[in-house]
Amino acid sequence: MSQTYAPPPPATSEAHRPLRRVLLAVWAVLTLAALAFVATIGTNAPYADEWEFVPALLGDEPAGEWLWRQHNEHRMPLPRLVVLIYFKLTHDFRTGMFLQIAMLSALALGLMRLAGQLRGRPHWADAFFPVSLLHIGHWENFVMGYQVCFVLFATLSTLLAVVALRITRANAFRLGALAALLLMLLALTNGSGLVLVPPVGAWLVFVAVSLWRGGEKGKAILLLALTALPVVYVAAYFQGYHRPEHHPPPSTDAVRVATVTGEVLAMSLGMGLGAVWPLVAGGVIAVGVLTLARVLRGWKEPDQRLSGAGLIAVAAGVTGVALAIGVGRAGFEGWEDMGLWSRYSMLTWPLLGAAYLVWAKAGKKWVPITLCVAAALAFPGNTGTGMVNGGQVRADYNAIAADLAAGLSAEQITDASDPRRAFPRSHHGAQTERALRAIPLLRRDRIGIFAR
């Protein structure tokens, strides 16, 4: 049996219109379902780490200092700027939740169309994009607007892979400059973005050398200058950097690091297959190896080499993020499942998205079909995970809102010794000190449930 798609029909053919409509319907239904989840579960109140940001968002701390302030291992000036802007405009924490859905929906639609363009026609497996990007197994990101930082990473790194896929010697400067811009934006998202700077920066130097050898020395120098910007940013990032006090030193235990790294890779398909994460991680690695072999097959062709080097650089960077999480989290108590968090799916999904596009461009169908089937198998579990956890988040907020309406003080609401209080036993439980400061400010400004 051939592993290639049948030759596409003429461009004027209407044969694929029904399939396009089905794919659009899948995308639309899943987008609406994700929006409905946020509309139902989302609450205009801080979630988890967002309690720390309340003083800056309400103007009680200087915004400039907050944009650069370290949070755990991260500096996140771009996501914080996005959050600051939308909160100033709306005074609603849910804005970031809806923004995430909008970004992922646009990404899924764009990638579906791109896959069809690359192979010359749509395929039912293109449903992989909305099925894997818009399921409510992403609940941990969807209920916290600030997680736009992870969605920005997923979007920007995927776009970087698309640029690498489309680059040729003819458009090398234009797409190389675009890649340098995307890399700079990635670096500004969080610490994960920094991991892509070395491999992608090296690829951009390779592109600049190609331009130089082709006689375009001015463009080569300009591209090198653009590439230097994220490198300079990395140096600035570590000025005054400190390891978070509540974090253990980076782990040197190879087994622990490999375990957590594998868990993070498995999260690319969501928590729906978390119970069999070693199998999923093995599948992700196998797809990566097969895709690498496919990319290397065209290495002798200059255009393919330019593109292939970029794809390898992006994949190396995203894989490096999973490894960095493994090193950073394997030293924690309870390390055995430290990589099984639904929020990590946004950090490793670009590996699957890039692999799908490589095989679609090559006209091969079995890897895309496999990815789509895997996403479909994970979908029921992802949906169930989202419903269970989302329901608990909603119940916790309802209980906190009742305490607020009853006129309880911040100290009473967060009192861990009172078994009637939901706050200490919820996802907010580790945020007591931050909430003690934030709740009076939120009440003062009559934000969301605090206006009662």
Side-chain angles (χ1 to χ4, degrees):
M1 182 181 292
S2 171
Q3 294 189 5
T4 60
Y5 297 96
T12 56
S13 172
E14 298 295 319
H16 301 302
R17 179 171 290 183
L19 178 56
R20 289 192 181 95
R21 288 175 174 171
V22 170
L23 290 171
L24 283 173
V26 171
W27 165 79
V29 168
L30 291 176
T31 297
L32 291 173
L35 289 171
F37 176 82
V38 168
T40 303
I41 304 301
T43 301
N44 188 9
Y47 183 84
D49 289 350
E50 287 180 320
W51 289 98
E52 179 187 347
F53 312 147
V54 169
L57 294 178
L58 295 181
D60 290 84
E61 287 183 359
E65 186 274 334
W66 174 72
L67 290 175
W68 186 246
R69 184 187 305 161
Q70 186 177 330
H71 179 72
N72 292 331
E73 311 98 323
H74 304 285
R75 299 189 196 276
M76 300 177 277
L78 178 59
R80 287 191 172 188
L81 180 60
V82 171
V83 172
L84 185 64
I85 291 172
Y86 76 61
F87 193 82
K88 291 294 185 183
L89 292 174
T90 66
H91 287 172
D92 198 322
F93 289 92
R94 294 169 295 186
T95 306
M97 306 175 197
F98 288 110
L99 178 60
Q100 290 181 55
I101 304 299
M103 292 172 63
L104 291 174
S105 179
L107 183 64
L109 179 61
L111 293 176
M112 276 202 312
R113 291 183 171 179
L114 176 61
Q117 292 170 3
L118 289 172
R119 77 168 71 85
R121 66 184 178 104
H123 190 273
W124 62 263
D126 295 343
F128 162 75
F129 295 108
V131 171
S132 60
L133 283 173
L134 293 168
H135 62 76
I136 62 172
H138 295 301
W139 71 270
E140 194 177 9
N141 292 318
F142 289 173
V143 301
M144 181 179 175
Y146 189 62
Q147 286 300 104
V148 70
C149 61
F150 279 17
V151 175
L152 277 169
F153 176 90
T155 302
L156 292 169
S157 54
T158 302
L159 291 177
L160 197 53
V162 170
V163 169
L165 191 70
R166 304 303 293 266
I167 198 169
T168 64
R169 287 179 298 173
N171 62 22
F173 174 71
R174 178 171 57 85
L175 291 191
L178 177 57
L181 173 61
L182 291 171
L183 183 60
M184 184 69 229
L185 293 174
L186 265 172
L188 292 168
T189 57
N190 53 41
S192 299
L194 301 187
V195 183
L196 277 81
V197 172
V200 176
W203 169 58
L204 290 173
V205 171
F206 177 61
V207 175
V209 170
S210 176
L211 288 168
W212 184 281
R213 290 177 175 174
E216 299 182 277
K217 295 183 179 180
K219 291 181 178 180
I221 293 172
L222 181 53
L223 181 56
L224 288 174
L226 293 173
T227 303
L229 294 177
V231 176
V232 171
Y233 175 79
V234 171
Y237 185 98
F238 288 103
Q239 293 298 313
Y241 179 89
H242 61 276
R243 179 171 62 84
E245 294 180 359
H246 60 288
H247 284 206
S251 177
T252 58
D253 187 315
V255 173
R256 289 188 174 193
V257 170
T259 298
V260 178
T261 300
E263 291 172 345
V264 175
L265 289 173
M267 286 301 96
S268 56
L269 284 171
M271 279 294 294
L273 298 178
V276 291
W277 73 261
L279 180 62
V280 178
V284 171
I285 292 171
V287 168
V289 171
L290 288 172
T291 305
L292 175 62
R294 180 73 209 181
V295 168
L296 291 177
R297 285 182 62 179
W299 196 257
K300 292 182 179 180
E301 174 63 34
D303 280 350
Q304 293 295 322
R305 185 162 60 247
L306 208 60
S307 174
L311 289 165
I312 292 170
V314 174
V318 175
T319 304
V321 172
L323 178 60
I325 295 172
V327 171
R329 296 294 183 264
F332 278 85
E333 183 179 352
W335 63 271
E336 293 86 353
D337 59 359
M338 286 298 290
L340 296 177
W341 292 89
S342 65
R343 62 178 177 267
Y344 290 148
S345 60
M346 289 291 101
L347 299 181
T348 51
W349 184 92
L351 290 172
L352 303 184
Y356 189 106
L357 294 175
V358 166
W359 290 97
K361 183 179 180 181
K364 306 294 184 179
K365 65 182 180 180
W366 292 116
V367 170
I369 288 174
T370 299
L371 288 173
C372 185
V373 170
L377 290 173
F379 188 82
N382 284 327
T383 301
T385 297
M387 293 178 66
V388 170
N389 286 281
Q392 185 60 56
V393 169
R394 180 73 257 182
D396 290 339
Y397 274 125
N398 287 341
I400 294 170
D403 287 346
L404 289 163
L408 271 61
S409 67
E411 289 76 12
Q412 291 173 310
I413 291 171
T414 59
D415 185 3
S417 66
D418 187 343
R420 296 171 297 175
R421 304 284 76 85
F423 187 100
R425 281 162 284 280
S426 70
H427 292 91
H428 310 282
Q431 309 296 325
T432 298
E433 291 186 10
R434 296 167 176 172
L436 287 173
R437 183 182 181 191
I439 290 173
L441 299 178
L442 292 163
R443 275 177 156 161
R444 179 198 69 195
D445 287 12
R446 302 185 60 79
I447 302 296
I449 61 174
F450 301 91
R452 302 177 184 182

